[in-house]
Amino acid sequence: MPTTHRRLSIVLPTFNERSNINAITHQLLPLQKLHHQLEILFVDDDSADGTADAIVELAQQHPCIRLIRRVGRYGLSSAIKEGILNATGDVVVVMDSDGQHESEAVDSAVETLLNKELDLVVGSRFHAAAEINGLSTKRERNSTWANAVARFSLPHYRQLTDYMSGFFALRPAICLPFVRQVEVGGFKFLYELLALSHGQLRVAEVPLQFQPRISGESKLDLAVVWDLGVSILHTLLLRSVPRRAISFGLVGATGILVQLAVNQGLMALGLGFEQALPPAVIVAASSNYLINNVLTFRFQRLKGLALVRGLLKFLVVASLPVLANVGVTSAFYSLVTRNTFLAQLVGIVVVFVWNYAASSRFVWNSP
């Protein structure tokens, strides 16, 4: 196989993976004796459990190991992007640091990439020859559903079976222009890379023998699921709307439900529509702030006293559109229609753009 003089970089994002580092490293080190000049590149998000210290100790023993320690920069997609951009290999493999991706899959992916002259090879959990030993029934079902939705949004790559995979091999010489464009606010880097390439990459899959984690717990949570939904909507909207604006808008949709519910509840207690409207708007705005803090701006998430100060700043920033919301809604209700739902919806739409732009800049200090 013509890989003897190839340099292979393996990128492993880490966050609180100290207990896995030694095992995964010693699974990968034999690759340098087989075909490749090897670089093992860990990208650590300033783990609190001593992950970086464990990597440094291994790097002192094995010169092929490198560490990128990130402070103030967080997120899986961001770590993958930074790792690929800093890798020095002719081929780059991205894989998890928890042992669920076997080292044997690296050679399989690299051989397929080189021998078939491809640009990207995906390690698939759902390939006909794959085995899944490391996913719960619920996780497998959710991944199957997510892949079905992703396939619909990526018509150029419908031959693939696992758009959510954390394991893939690529040629940086071909893929770097697309890697540079990946928005790091998302979670599923592979999906974003495929969406950006618009079918320009030669892609295939290899089956994975997906294993249980060596130790620790999955990082999958509500924010990850939310990010996936935002990414898919972003693609379906032809990337014409910023990802964060989509997330902000979806949170705003929950605020509509909160405002309507609070308004109706207060009216049921005897208040008139105009009297019930201001507190309903304020409760909805506070709800939007808290949800956005957890989801839309989670990498700038405010905590403790900063969370309280942020709420006050959010309400101040939103004060003008709150007044506009009340004023426009009341006028629409009085002059156009007595339909309380339509009247409130008009007021909410009027203030969305201001809320998004001003909140991003002045509450979460996000560009």
Side-chain angles (χ1 to χ4, degrees):
M1 190 182 87
T3 60
T4 304
H5 301 293
R6 297 276 181 176
R7 181 168 175 82
L8 170 64
S9 295
I10 302 178
V11 173
L12 298 112
T14 61
F15 182 66
N16 293 336
E17 300 280 5
R18 182 185 179 95
S19 57
N20 297 326
I21 294 302
N22 192 66
I24 190 67
T25 298
H26 285 91
Q27 289 176 16
L28 295 173
L29 284 173
L31 291 171
Q32 63 187 335
K33 298 179 181 179
L34 297 176
H35 309 291
H36 312 290
Q37 301 174 37
L38 186 63
E39 173 184 56
I40 301 176
L41 179 56
F42 289 98
V43 185
D44 184 62
D45 281 2
D46 200 25
S47 298
D49 69 343
T51 297
D53 295 333
I55 295 169
V56 168
E57 185 177 339
L58 286 167
Q60 291 172 349
Q61 304 170 38
H62 306 284
C64 65
I65 296 175
R66 290 177 56 204
L67 168 66
I68 296 177
R69 191 194 321 239
R70 308 191 324 152
V71 178
R73 307 190 305 282
Y74 303 99
L76 181 59
S77 283
S78 174
I80 292 173
K81 180 175 182 176
E82 195 160 337
I84 294 174
L85 291 176
N86 283 278
T88 61
D90 305 292
V91 174
V92 177
V93 171
V94 175
M95 60 189 297
D96 292 344
S97 302
D98 54 17
Q100 292 191 293
H101 299 146
E102 291 187 310
S103 58
E104 291 81 1
V106 174
D107 259 340
S108 174
V110 172
E111 287 184 20
T112 301
L113 184 80
L114 298 178
N115 292 343
K116 295 187 177 181
E117 298 185 347
L118 300 170
D119 304 318
L120 175 69
V121 171
V122 178
S124 172
R125 297 162 295 175
F126 302 102
H127 189 283
E131 293 184 10
I132 299 179
N133 301 310
L135 282 183
S136 66
T137 301
K138 181 180 179 181
R139 285 281 307 279
E140 185 174 350
R141 181 176 63 250
N142 290 345
S143 293
T144 300
W145 173 85
N147 274 299
V149 177
R151 182 175 296 108
F152 173 77
S153 66
L154 296 176
H156 299 295
Y157 298 111
R158 287 184 176 165
Q159 78 276 18
L160 301 179
T161 61
D162 196 352
Y163 306 89
M164 307 294 116
S165 180
F167 182 102
F168 52 91
L170 56 80
R171 294 178 188 264
I174 303 298
C175 294
L176 275 184
F178 303 114
V179 170
R180 288 176 175 272
Q181 297 176 55
V182 171
E183 294 187 40
V184 295
F187 180 81
K188 292 301 183 182
F189 183 93
L190 176 63
Y191 175 87
E192 289 288 317
L193 179 62
L194 292 170
L196 283 163
S197 67
H198 299 292
Q200 297 179 55
L201 298 178
R202 297 166 295 177
V203 180
E205 288 184 328
V206 293
L208 289 180
Q209 311 303 309
F210 199 69
Q211 303 299 315
R213 289 178 59 91
I214 297 174
S215 65
E217 298 179 354
S218 170
K219 307 296 192 299
L220 181 67
D221 57 14
L222 175 61
V224 172
V225 177
W226 182 268
D227 268 342
L228 174 59
V230 169
S231 291
I232 290 173
L233 283 175
H234 190 210
T235 300
L236 292 174
L237 291 171
L238 304 179
R239 313 183 83 81
S240 58
V241 180
R243 290 184 80 262
R244 190 167 278 172
I246 294 172
S247 180
F248 197 87
L250 291 174
V251 172
T254 70
I256 294 175
L257 299 178
V258 171
Q259 179 173 322
L260 293 173
V262 172
N263 183 265
Q264 290 300 315
L266 293 176
M267 289 177 66
L269 293 175
L271 293 181
F273 175 70
E274 287 85 354
Q275 290 74 42
L277 183 61
V281 170
I282 292 172
V283 171
S286 300
S287 170
N288 283 354
Y289 164 75
L290 294 173
I291 297 174
N292 274 311
N293 190 57
V294 172
L295 297 177
T296 307
F297 298 97
R298 74 181 186 280
F299 296 122
Q300 294 87 32
R301 184 179 299 177
L302 304 175
K303 300 178 182 179
L305 289 177
L307 179 66
V308 177
R309 289 194 296 267
L311 174 58
L312 296 177
K313 290 169 66 177
F314 184 84
L315 292 177
V316 169
V317 164
S319 60
L320 178 59
V322 164
L323 295 175
N325 189 343
V326 173
V328 170
T329 300
S330 297
F332 198 82
Y333 177 76
S334 300
L335 302 175
V336 180
T337 177
R338 305 297 286 185
N339 185 310
T340 60
F341 174 80
L342 288 179
Q344 291 179 84
L345 190 59
V346 168
I348 291 165
V349 170
V350 165
V351 304
F352 169 74
V353 174
W354 164 263
N355 272 342
Y356 170 65
S359 298
S360 298
R361 180 64 184 89
F362 297 111
V363 178
W364 285 281
N365 296 317
S366 177

